[in-house]
DNA sequence: TACAATATAGAACAATCATTCCGAACATGG
DNA sequence: CCATGTTCGGAATGATTGTTCTATATTGTA
C-alpha cells in the first residue's frame, strides 16, 4: 500500500507495535510503552509521531486520556485483530435445519445461545431482526448449489420478487427447496442455481415462500 | 448462562458497560469511568467488584496499569466484539480471482485495502497470516458446488491431505480447479464435490496444490 | 547558501488513575 | 442475638501517564 510506505520508519514501527500490543493485551499501550518499544526515549517525540499518524488516518486519539489510542486502518502484514473494522459481527439466530421433506420450521422462542455470528455485510442491508439461519440437511439442494452442512442466511418473508433465491414449500410435492423465483403470471417458475438443470413450474397457490436467501456459507473440514 | 446470573447487579452492569465502552472506544474504561456509569462513586468499590469479576472468570486485570482490563468471556446480549474469546472479524487479503484457465496468482505485496472481513471461526483455527481470499469467476467450478461470484477462503499451502478440498493447478489441462484431494499412490484422484460427477485422475507431477479451501461464502443479490 | 518546514531530545508540569486504608453497613449462619 | 464474612463509602496517597515548552538537529527548497 502506497500510503503506508509514505510513513517514516518510526511511524511504521509504532503501528506495528500498536498492533502487536493490542492483540496481546487487549488495550492500547502508553506513550512510554511505545517509546520503549521503538527506541524513542522522548515522550514528546512519540506524541509528535502519534499525531502524524492521526493525520495520516491510521490512528484515532482521545486527548488527555491514558491509552486513548486506537488503530483505525489495517496495516500490512499485521494481525489487525483489534483494528476497528468497518464491518460488525451480528448474532443471527440459528433456528434449525432445512430438509427437503419438511417445511422450514421457525421457532418462536429463540435461544440466544443458539446463534451464528455473521458479518453484517452478508445481510445485504436487511434488518437483522428479521434474519435467521438454517443448516442444510440432505443432498437435495444440490441443484441450488448448496450441499449438506451449508449455513443459509435467510430473511423472513412470505413474498418474493423475480430473481430472488427463496426457500419455498411445495405442498404438492411435499418438499422444501431453494430456487430462484420467477412469477410468470399464470404460474411460478422455480429455477435451480445450477444452469445444467431445468426449472420446475408450480401454481402460486402451491408455492409458499418461507424466506429469501441472503447468503450461503460453507465451512470445509 | 448460569454463571452470569450468579453475579450481583453491579457486577453485571460493569460487564455491560465494559462491553459497550470497548466497542465504542476500542480501549477499556478506567475505574472512574466504570464508577460513573454504574453509579458507584467509590473507586474502591469498583475495584472490589472488578476483582470479583476476575475471580468469576469474566475479566483479566493487569495490576497498576491504567485501563489494564479485558473481557475474556462473552456476556449475554452483549456486543462481545472485543471479547478475547468470542468470534472476531479478521481482515483476509483478497488477492484476486480464480479462473479455470489460469493458475491462482498470489501477489506478494498485499494491499490491505483489498481485504474481506471474515469471522475468525470460518478460518478453522488456521493462522490468519496464511489465509487469503479469492473470488470465483466463470462457471467451471460447478462440479465443486461453487459458482460465479463465490468468495473462497484458502489457506496457503502446497501440500494436501486426503479429503481436503484444494485449489490445484493442472498444467496438462491448463486449468485451475477446486476438488477434493486423494493421493492414491500412483496417482492423484480429484473428486468433485458434486456426487453426480465423476473424479479425474492425474499424475502428482502435474498436480500443483495452490491452497486448501477453508470455507466458501456466497452472497445473493 | 539561507530560509522554512519537519523531526528530535530533554525536562518540567499537570492531570489521570490505581491502590490502599479505615470504618460502617449489610448479610448469613449458628 | 452474636459472630463472621461480604459489600460498601470516602478520602488520601503515590505512581502512571499525557501535555507543554524550549532548544537543537535534519531535511527540503528557493
Amino acid at each position: 500500500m502506497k500510503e503506508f510506505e509514505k510513513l517514516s520508519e518510526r511511524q511504521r514501527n509504532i503501528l506495528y507495535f500498536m498492533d502487536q500490543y493490542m492483540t496481546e493485551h487487549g488495550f492500547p499501550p502508553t506513550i512510554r510503552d511505545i517509546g520503549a518499544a521503538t527506541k524513542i526515549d522522548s515522550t514528546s517525540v512519540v506524541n509528535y509521531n502519534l499525531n502524524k499518524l492521526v493525520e495520516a488516518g491510521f490512528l484515532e486519539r482521545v486527548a488527555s486520556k491514558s491509552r486513548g489510542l486506537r488503530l483505525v486502518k489495517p496495516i500490512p502484514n499485521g494481525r489487525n485483530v483489534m483494528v476497528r473494522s468497518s464491518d460488525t459481527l451480528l448474532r443471527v439466530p440459528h433456528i434449525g435445519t432445512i430438509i427437503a421433506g419438511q417445511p422450514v420450521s421457525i421457532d418462536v422462542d429463540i435461544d440466544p445461545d443458539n446463534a451464528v455470528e455473521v458479518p453484517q455485510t452478508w445481510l445485504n442491508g436487511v434488518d437483522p431482526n428479521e434474519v435467521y439461519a438454517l443448516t442444510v440437511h440432505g443432498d437435495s439442494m444440490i441443484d441450488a448449489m448448496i450441499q449438506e452442512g451449508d449455513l443459509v442466511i435467510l430473511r423472513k418473508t412470505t413474498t418474493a420478487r423475480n430473481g430472488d433465491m427463496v426457500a419455498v414449500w411445495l405442498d404438492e410435492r411435499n418438499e422444501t427447496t431453494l430456487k430462484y423465483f420467477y412469477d410468470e403470471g399464470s404460474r411460478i417458475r422455480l429455477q435451480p442455481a445450477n444452469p445444467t438443470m431445468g426449472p420446475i413450474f408450480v401454481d402460486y397457490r402451491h408455492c409458499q415462500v418461507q424466506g429469501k436467501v441472503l447468503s450461503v456459507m460453507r465451512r470445509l473440514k
Side-chain angles (χ1 to χ4, degrees), chain A:
Chain A
M1 114 139 13
K2 202 169 47 195
E3 210 163 16
F4 184 79
E5 306 302 336
K6 281 196 181 305
L7 301 173
S8 75
E9 193 185 339
R10 280 185 158 176
Q11 286 159 11
R12 285 195 298 265
N13 287 338
I14 289 177
L15 289 182
Y16 280 128
F17 176 68
M18 265 290 290
D19 185 53
Q20 176 207 318
Y21 192 100
M22 277 297 283
T23 58
E24 192 171 329
H25 296 86
F27 49 85
T30 66
I31 285 186
R32 287 172 173 81
D33 289 335
I34 296 173
T38 57
K39 313 234 186 280
I40 305 174
D41 42 24
S42 170
T43 58
S44 69
V45 176
V46 176
N47 186 59
Y48 172 83
N49 284 290
L50 286 178
N51 289 331
K52 287 291 167 190
L53 287 169
V54 172
E55 286 174 27
F58 284 90
L59 291 181
E60 275 180 17
R61 293 189 78 179
V62 182
S64 297
K65 281 193 177 298
S66 72
R67 304 169 195 273
L69 216 49
R70 114 182 286 179
L71 280 167
V72 290
K73 195 184 287 190
I75 60 180
N77 298 326
R79 300 283 306 258
N80 295 321
V81 174
M82 291 299 195
V83 176
R84 179 165 67 178
S85 52
S86 47
D87 209 347
T88 316
L89 269 178
L90 289 183
R91 292 179 73 83
V92 170
H94 183 258
I95 61 171
T97 57
I98 176 171
I99 311 175
Q102 303 170 9
V104 173
S105 69
I106 301 178
D107 299 338
V108 189
D109 55 331
I110 296 162
D111 180 2
D113 283 343
N114 228 341
V116 204
E117 297 194 347
V118 175
Q120 187 158 26
T121 304
W122 294 86
L123 269 47
N124 287 335
V126 171
D127 180 2
N129 292 316
E130 53 186 22
V131 174
Y132 58 98
L134 297 172
T135 302
V136 174
H137 264 227
D139 286 334
S140 56
M141 304 291 177
I142 285 179
D143 56 351
M145 301 287 288
I146 288 170
Q147 64 188 89
E148 163 80 20
D150 283 7
L151 189 73
V152 182
I153 313 293
L154 292 144
R155 173 191 178 185
K156 227 175 289 183
T157 179
T158 55
T159 60
R161 291 186 307 183
N162 285 349
D164 288 352
M165 176 174 266
V166 290
V168 288
W169 168 247
L170 307 173
D171 53 12
E172 284 173 323
R173 293 158 174 259
N174 219 48
E175 68 172 49
T176 304
T177 184
L178 297 173
K179 294 275 193 308
Y180 285 108
F181 177 95
Y182 293 97
D183 186 344
E184 298 189 333
S186 58
R187 60 186 184 179
I188 305 290
R189 174 164 58 93
L190 297 173
Q191 187 80 39
N194 189 329
T196 66
M197 310 184 92
I200 62 176
F201 300 96
V202 291
D203 188 281
Y204 73 91
R205 280 164 301 188
H206 299 293
C207 170
Q208 295 160 26
V209 175
Q210 313 233 343
K212 178 191 168 185
V213 178
L214 300 176
S215 51
V216 180
M217 311 184 123
R218 179 179 311 150
R219 224 167 127 183
L220 283 295
K221 266 282 156 352

